[in-house]
Amino acid sequence: MFLLVLSWAGGARADAVEIRNPSVENSDEGYRLSLSFSFELTRALEDALTRGIPLYFTTEVQVTRPRWYWFDETASSTSQTIRISYNVLTQQYRASLSSGGLQQNYPSLEDALTAVRRQRMLIAEKGALKPGETYTVMVRMGLDVARLPKPFQVHALNSSDWRFSSDWKQFTLRAE
């Protein structure tokens, strides 16, 4: 059963990550978010990847319920990290989910990035959202610089080629 997405807010920078087609469905486990991202890696990120430096892409999701009398109530907060790496010996790319679930090899970088560009994740367990209530879902995705090797972390702070993220995007949903 799908939940109604009431509104979508926010624009995207041309050089950043754009979030597209977010939808939330109610499943047996809870509420699942499906969405896609539109982006191209910078040349510096592609070069680092082909030289054996893994890249970590983290998607963060916050589900809040607005309250007029106090700060918004946080109903759920979750994240998912996908690691993309390149094996020089086999000349294959690998996408791995941080939770240890999915690990798959791909023949090309474009194929491996599909795992990052199309994501589906559990954002709230069953019973976490009150039926009939309206919630705000905020999503962002970007390169997790903190997981890079230390020399690249320092370089990433000083180089715009390594700044790779979306702004927070938000939409509202009504729980069923």
Side-chain angles (χ1 to χ4, degrees):
M1 177 183 294
F2 287 92
L3 298 177
L4 178 63
V5 175
L6 299 174
S7 67
W8 171 254
R13 297 182 310 242
D15 61 341
V17 179
E18 183 181 346
I19 300 172
R20 295 184 176 170
N21 307 321
S23 66
V24 179
E25 68 179 52
N26 189 358
S27 69
D28 292 338
E29 298 125 13
Y31 294 89
R32 290 200 168 275
L33 173 66
S34 298
L35 71 164
S36 60
F37 299 99
S38 175
F39 64 86
E40 295 299 324
L41 290 183
T42 64
R43 187 74 192 143
L45 291 176
E46 282 186 38
D47 287 345
L49 189 58
T50 57
R51 292 188 174 141
I53 306 300
L55 301 179
Y56 298 85
F57 299 93
T58 300
T59 303
E60 299 173 85
V61 180
Q62 293 181 355
V63 181
T64 59
R65 186 173 60 93
R67 296 189 288 195
W68 65 272
Y69 60 88
W70 197 247
F71 298 112
D72 292 348
E73 173 189 14
T74 301
S76 176
S77 181
T78 188
S79 67
Q80 174 174 282
T81 301
I82 298 175
R83 176 183 187 257
I84 301 290
S85 59
Y86 179 68
N87 187 325
V88 178
L89 296 175
T90 62
Q91 296 182 347
Q92 289 189 331
Y93 292 87
R94 173 174 273 203
S96 308
L97 218 64
S98 61
S99 61
L102 169 77
Q103 286 190 2
Q104 184 150 355
N105 291 330
Y106 297 94
S108 71
L109 177 57
E110 281 303 310
D111 291 341
L113 288 175
T114 301
V116 178
R117 289 186 175 128
R118 293 188 188 135
Q119 295 186 31
R120 183 180 160 112
M121 59 193 292
L122 186 67
I123 60 169
E125 293 183 6
K126 192 135 189 102
L129 305 183
K130 298 173 188 172
E133 291 286 332
T134 301
Y135 292 87
T136 301
V137 179
M138 297 189 322
V139 181
R140 77 174 168 182
M141 192 274 286
L143 179 67
D144 191 348
V145 178
R147 293 182 183 232
L148 293 172
K150 294 291 182 198
F152 288 93
Q153 289 180 18
V154 173
H155 182 67
L157 292 173
N158 298 322
S159 174
S160 62
D161 288 341
W162 287 78
R163 290 190 195 112
F164 184 83
S165 68
S166 70
D167 292 329
W168 282 101
K169 305 297 179 196
Q170 69 180 25
F171 60 94
T172 57
L173 68 93
R174 189 167 185 87
E176 294 181 346

